[in-house]
């Protein structure tokens, strides 16, 4: 499943990795570039409630195979038909809708087939492999575009989801047994589950920050390199891939610490740390490139350190009969916030001087600093409203 997810994620950052290319080609503003990047996530958020709640009723592998196929075809269509802001946004939203049938249904297909017990390590391995896939997406899109052009780059990365189609078809069958009286797209039991909702809302803040950082990292490093004379061998390809790949060990380490320290404590500490680093990046936008690079790597490590803990905490707190619905709401809020993150950062850049302005990048990173701590009140409220310490699953404590 982790190998299949690497394939599913190859198209994921293809547009964001090439924002400077498309901005020049189509005359896009920073806000328009952020909106296209975020369209992937809004397409995902619109479809994932259906695709993931269906896993409470049908075998998740069927949804996984279909969603992965749609993702591949939409990426091919982007290469063939994207010509301006609107065509690119619509096609990229369709690619995100396909991914809505791959990521959370893939997690459900995995958890349905795991043995009973604490599955947090398996879940964390699956969620942290997301970072490797995103890193490969950054790497493949930029290298292929340099050699063969952006259309060939999109066709090439679009073949990746076909790997997940093959993985899904190879899984053993599994038939869920829905509880009598439950209805499709009924999220009321999830909304009443305060411990689960704490992780869901915390995940929204996490996704806002993570998607915004990844969408704009190539453009920010190009700005930094041009302003401070970074050596040519430290280019945007290497920086974007390094900052992305560091997320996998960060997520695994974060989950191990959460097992020992408690999830709430770990997640709160990570949110505060990533907010402080984002503030540092804002103040360091005019600083020498070694300091900026060091802060980018720290930021790339801090943001995803609570990713596995948030998702495994949500799975552990979900009622078994509503696990698909809980995953659906988790993903809808998370990826809806992922649409807003790149857009908000783009608006901040445009509003304070544009992508060639120090003030523009300072404003953008101050937005991320606020987003990083936005999940703290929800996380605290959700845990506080559980009826007693004994009622909170061990994975949460």
């Amino acid at each position: 499943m982790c190998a299949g997810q690497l394939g599913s994620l190859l198209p994921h950052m293809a547009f964001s990795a090439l924002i400077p290319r498309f901005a020049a080609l189509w005359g896009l503003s920073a806000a328009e570039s952020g909106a296209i990047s975020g369209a992937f996530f809004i397409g995902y958020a619109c479809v994932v409630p259906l695709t993931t709640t269906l896993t409470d009723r049908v075998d998740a592998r069927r949804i996984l195979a279909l969603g992965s196929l749609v993702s591949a075809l939409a990426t091919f269509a982007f290469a063939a038909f994207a010509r301006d802001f609107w065509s690119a946004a619509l096609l990229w939203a369709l690619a995100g809708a396909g991914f809505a049938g791959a990521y959370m249904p893939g997690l459900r297909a995995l958890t349905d087939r795991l043995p009973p017990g604490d599955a947090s390590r398996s879940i964390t391995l699956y969620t942290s492999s997301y970072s490797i896939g995103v890193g490969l997406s950054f790497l493949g899109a930029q290298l292929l575009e340099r050699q063969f052009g952006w259309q060939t780059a999109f066709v090439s990365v679009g073949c990746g989801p076909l790997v997940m189609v093959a993985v899904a078809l190879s899984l053993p069958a599994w038939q869920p047994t829905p509880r009598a009286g439950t209805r499709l797209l009924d999220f009321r039991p999830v909304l009443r589950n305060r411990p689960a909702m704490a992780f869901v809302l915390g995940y929204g803040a996490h996704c806002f920050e993570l998607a915004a950082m990844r969408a704009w990292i190539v453009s920010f490093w190009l700005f930094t390199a041009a302003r401070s004379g970074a050596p040519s061998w430290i280019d945007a390809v290497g920086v974007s891939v390094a900052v992305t790949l560091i997320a996998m060990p960060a997520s695994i380490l974060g989950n191990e610490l959460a097992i020992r320290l408690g999830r709430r404590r770990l997640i709160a500490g990570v949110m505060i740390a990533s907010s402080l680093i984002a503030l540092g990046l804002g103040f360091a936008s005019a600083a020498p490139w070694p300091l900026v690079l060091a802060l980018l790597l720290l930021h790339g490590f801090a943001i995803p350190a609570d990713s596995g803990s948030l998702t495994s905490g949500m799975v552990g707190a979900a009622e078994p009969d509503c696990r698909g619905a809980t995953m659906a709401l988790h993903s809808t809020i998370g990826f809806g916030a992922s649409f807003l993150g790149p857009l908000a950062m783009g608006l901040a850049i445009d509003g304070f001087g544009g992508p060639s302005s120090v003030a523009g990048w300072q404003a953008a990173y101050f937005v991320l600093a606020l987003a990083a701590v936005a999940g703290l009140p929800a996380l605290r409220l959700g845990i506080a409203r559980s009826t007693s310490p004994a009622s909170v699953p061990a994975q949460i404590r």
Side-chain angles (χ1 to χ4, degrees):
M1 286 298 299
C2 291
Q5 185 174 204
L6 297 184
S8 289
L9 285 161
L10 283 183
H12 198 69
M13 300 307 298
F15 180 82
S16 296
L18 303 177
I19 279 179
R21 175 79 172 91
F22 289 116
L25 182 66
W26 297 334
L28 302 175
S29 67
E32 288 173 330
S33 297
I36 295 173
S37 181
F40 185 95
F41 301 106
I42 200 64
Y44 181 103
C46 288
V47 177
V48 75
L50 177 62
T51 59
T52 309
T53 53
L54 276 173
T55 63
D56 285 331
R57 299 169 181 268
V58 301
D59 191 342
R61 67 174 185 159
R62 296 165 60 185
I63 301 167
L64 177 60
L66 179 60
S68 299
L69 181 61
V70 170
S71 178
L73 294 176
T75 308
F76 297 154
F78 189 99
F81 302 115
R83 293 293 179 267
D84 53 22
F85 170 78
W86 286 110
S87 60
L90 290 172
L91 289 167
W92 209 224
L94 181 59
F99 189 63
Y103 183 51
M104 277 294 162
L107 178 60
R108 180 63 187 267
L110 173 66
T111 56
D112 282 344
R113 291 160 177 82
L114 291 174
D118 185 2
S120 66
R121 286 191 173 96
S122 298
I123 293 169
T124 297
L125 186 61
Y126 177 84
T127 56
S128 61
S129 67
Y130 190 109
S131 301
I132 295 182
V134 170
L136 292 174
S137 180
F138 270 120
L139 180 65
Q142 291 176 88
L143 293 181
L144 288 165
E145 190 274 335
R146 287 182 182 181
Q147 294 294 321
F148 306 106
W150 70 266
Q151 289 97 338
T152 300
F154 270 76
V155 170
S156 299
V157 299
C159 295
L162 300 178
V163 176
M164 184 59 102
V165 174
V167 170
L169 296 177
S170 72
L171 293 174
W174 173 275
Q175 183 57 49
T177 305
R179 183 174 59 189
T182 58
R183 293 183 294 177
L184 191 65
L185 299 177
D186 182 4
F187 296 109
R188 288 175 297 176
V190 182
L191 295 172
R192 290 193 295 266
N193 186 340
R194 296 290 182 177
M197 284 304 301
F199 293 109
V200 169
L201 296 174
Y203 185 69
H206 161 82
C207 287
F208 182 105
E209 185 187 18
L210 183 64
M213 181 272 286
R214 287 176 170 171
W216 287 103
I217 189 171
V218 171
S219 299
F220 181 56
W221 185 253
L222 289 174
F223 163 78
T224 299
R227 179 190 52 77
S228 62
S232 59
W233 56 272
I234 305 180
D235 63 359
V237 176
V239 171
S240 60
V241 172
V243 170
T244 303
L245 291 183
I246 203 172
M248 183 173 188
S251 183
I252 293 173
L253 177 61
N255 185 69
E256 293 300 314
L257 289 174
I259 292 172
R260 290 160 176 79
L261 302 177
R263 296 206 184 280
R264 184 178 63 171
R265 187 180 303 172
L266 181 280
I267 293 168
V270 167
M271 287 178 173
I272 292 169
S274 61
S275 177
L276 292 174
I277 297 168
L279 282 174
L281 275 165
F283 287 118
S285 295
W289 69 263
L291 176 59
V292 175
L293 179 59
L295 287 171
L296 282 174
L297 290 170
L298 280 174
H299 204 210
F301 187 89
I303 294 176
D306 60 356
S307 177
S309 296
L310 286 164
T311 301
S312 57
M314 174 273 298
V315 172
E319 296 178 14
D321 293 330
C322 300
R323 183 174 291 169
T326 307
M327 289 180 174
L329 191 60
H330 183 80
S331 210
T332 300
I333 290 178
F335 280 75
S338 295
F339 163 72
L340 295 175
L343 177 60
M345 200 166 173
L347 288 170
I349 294 168
D350 279 343
F352 287 84
S356 60
S357 163
V358 169
W361 289 108
Q362 287 177 335
Y365 277 100
F366 291 161
V367 168
L368 290 197
L370 292 174
V373 294
L376 286 174
L379 185 68
R380 187 175 183 85
L381 177 66
I383 300 298
R385 289 201 179 183
S386 59
T387 57
S388 69
S391 70
V392 182
Q395 295 97 319
I396 301 173
R397 296 198 299 271

